Amino acid sequence: MRKTARYASLAAAGLLALTSLTACADDAASSTADTGSGGGKGESVKIMVGGLDKVIYLPAMLTQRLGYFQAEGLNVQLLSEPAGVQAETALVSGQVQGAVGFYDHTLDLQVKGKSVESVVQFSHAPGEVEVVSAEAADDLTSPEDFKGRKLGVTGLGSSTDFLTKYLAVKNGVKVSDFTPVAVGAGPTFIAALQKGAIDGGMTTDPTVATILDKKAGKILIDMRTPEGSQQALGGPYPSSSLYMQTDWVNGHKDTVQKLVNAFVKTLKWMSTHSADEIAAKMPADYSQGDKALYTQAVKSTLPMFTDDGVMPQGGPETVEKVLKAFNPNIQNAKVDLSRTYTTEFVEAAG
């Protein structure tokens, strides 16, 4: 059954993404040149990733490193933005053909009039962790304590922003009772935590592993596994995915099929290899000089991934429930979940 999606850009992130896109794209292009992502033979496709070195988006670079794009006759250039919401802006503005980011934005953006769809689903859990600073850990022990706090997110309007707001509302805290702070991920998130610019925040590996290693903070809520997702959100939460504008998908089905074929091969490969083997395939600089710590980050996050790229049953409904809890645009609109993703390509790949 064919399913599609609707998408719209977030104006607040638009200016930031558009002004920073060129520099980030150049940096990302140079960082992936050794994998054949630029200048190779084959049909060219540009994909923007909401943080190439984040473990939650690991299948993007791993597919490149395994040679699966090239095997499908594709010349894929992987670009990087620090937050998924900026990757979306690049997609909707037509600067790239695909975006690797969270599925939940397809619902938020459908009601704003743009049409996109997830074509392959990498995960059935968010892969996100709510951490608290070592200094605030004694007083910030649950989302009920979010009131009056400064909480880090990758970007305003990002999936970390969405999930933080849901956890607050679910636990009786209004979204106006705390302050979300855009701090990105990695060194910028950790610095904000250590300097007291934020009391806690939502992030992913390898940032989580580094925070724990530095004893800069503690885990409050762990959503890196399906069980953690069930406990925190009430069901499976499809997150990282490849999504594309529906019109482009309909006009380039052969290319989309090749992309999905490559990603499904990677997900299957991941399901039969260890964290050590997966980490060894990634660019050396992703480990930031500590291979053991990076491998642990991969191991901790692996449970979030699907092994077939298929949308988990009940996943879209969980996402809708989460967004309706705090997002007025979705609360007051009819969301057609069947138009936010397609299973056409993963079924053919399988």
Side-chain angles (χ1 to χ4, degrees):
M1 179 179 178
R2 189 73 174 87
K3 301 178 181 176
T4 54
R6 294 189 179 277
Y7 228 99
S9 70
L10 292 171
L15 284 175
L16 173 62
L18 291 174
T19 54
S20 64
L21 181 60
T22 302
C24 291
D26 289 344
D27 291 343
S30 63
S31 70
T32 59
D34 63 334
T35 67
S37 60
K41 295 181 179 180
E43 188 173 0
S44 295
V45 180
K46 290 183 179 180
I47 297 176
M48 184 66 75
V49 184
L52 260 175
D53 59 351
K54 295 178 184 176
V55 180
I56 57 171
Y57 300 141
L58 178 149
M61 179 57 75
L62 182 58
T63 303
Q64 190 78 273
R65 304 283 283 191
L66 290 171
Y68 290 159
F69 290 136
Q70 190 175 23
E72 291 288 336
L74 297 174
N75 171 33
V76 174
Q77 185 176 14
L78 296 175
L79 308 175
S80 187
E81 281 284 5
V85 64
Q86 294 163 355
E88 293 162 3
T89 304
L91 174 70
V92 173
S93 65
Q95 298 179 52
V96 296
Q97 289 76 52
V100 170
F102 268 40
Y103 160 75
D104 55 14
H105 290 288
T106 66
L107 282 72
D108 179 59
L109 299 176
Q110 182 188 103
V111 302
K112 296 176 181 176
K114 292 288 185 177
S115 184
V116 300
E117 59 191 348
S118 166
V119 297
V120 55
Q121 197 62 46
F122 299 163
S123 57
H124 47 194
E128 301 282 353
V129 177
E130 184 72 21
V131 298
V132 295
S133 69
E135 185 176 343
D138 290 341
D139 300 319
L140 184 47
T141 60
S142 81
E144 295 177 359
D145 301 322
F146 282 179
K147 188 172 183 178
R149 299 290 187 171
K150 293 175 292 184
L151 301 175
V153 296
T154 53
L156 301 182
S158 67
S159 296
T160 53
D161 190 18
F162 290 166
L163 288 170
T164 301
K165 287 176 178 175
Y166 174 72
L167 292 175
V169 171
K170 180 186 176 185
N171 289 275
V173 179
K174 297 177 182 178
V175 295
S176 58
D177 286 342
F178 69 93
T179 304
V181 183
V183 292
T188 55
F189 185 102
I190 296 168
L193 196 69
Q194 291 177 317
K195 294 177 181 178
I198 56 175
D199 301 300
M202 191 168 292
T203 190
T204 61
D205 277 310
T207 306
V208 176
T210 303
I211 289 170
L212 297 179
D213 184 61
K214 291 177 176 290
K215 295 181 171 54
K218 298 180 180 179
I219 291 176
L220 183 65
I221 298 172
D222 193 338
M223 296 179 287
R224 290 176 292 186
T225 66
E227 295 79 15
S229 178
Q230 178 71 42
Q231 184 175 357
L233 306 173
Y237 197 92
S239 56
S240 54
S241 63
L242 172 67
Y243 53 79
M244 314 180 87
Q245 295 203 61
T246 299
D247 286 347
W248 199 90
V249 171
N250 290 339
H252 302 80
K253 287 194 173 186
D254 288 345
T255 302
V256 176
Q257 188 64 63
K258 291 175 183 177
L259 285 167
V260 173
N261 289 346
F263 278 123
V264 170
K265 286 179 187 176
T266 297
L267 292 168
K268 290 184 183 299
W269 188 91
M270 289 170 62
S271 72
T272 58
H273 289 76
S274 68
D276 289 276
E277 292 171 313
I278 294 169
K281 288 289 184 180
M282 303 305 288
D285 61 342
Y286 281 21
S287 66
Q288 297 180 2
D290 194 331
K291 292 182 180 179
L293 189 63
Y294 180 71
T295 299
Q296 181 57 49
V298 172
K299 184 177 181 179
S300 297
T301 305
L302 276 180
M304 73 173 281
F305 294 108
T306 69
D307 60 5
D308 55 12
V310 175
M311 176 66 74
Q313 186 173 3
E317 290 77 12
T318 304
V319 172
E320 182 180 30
K321 179 196 71 174
V322 166
L323 296 185
K324 277 185 177 293
F326 66 86
N327 189 318
N329 294 323
I330 291 183
Q331 285 172 344
N332 302 319
K334 172 65 176 177
V335 178
D336 186 349
L337 294 177
S338 70
R339 302 178 71 182
T340 59
Y341 69 101
T342 174
T343 59
E344 174 183 349
F345 302 101
V346 289
E347 288 171 359

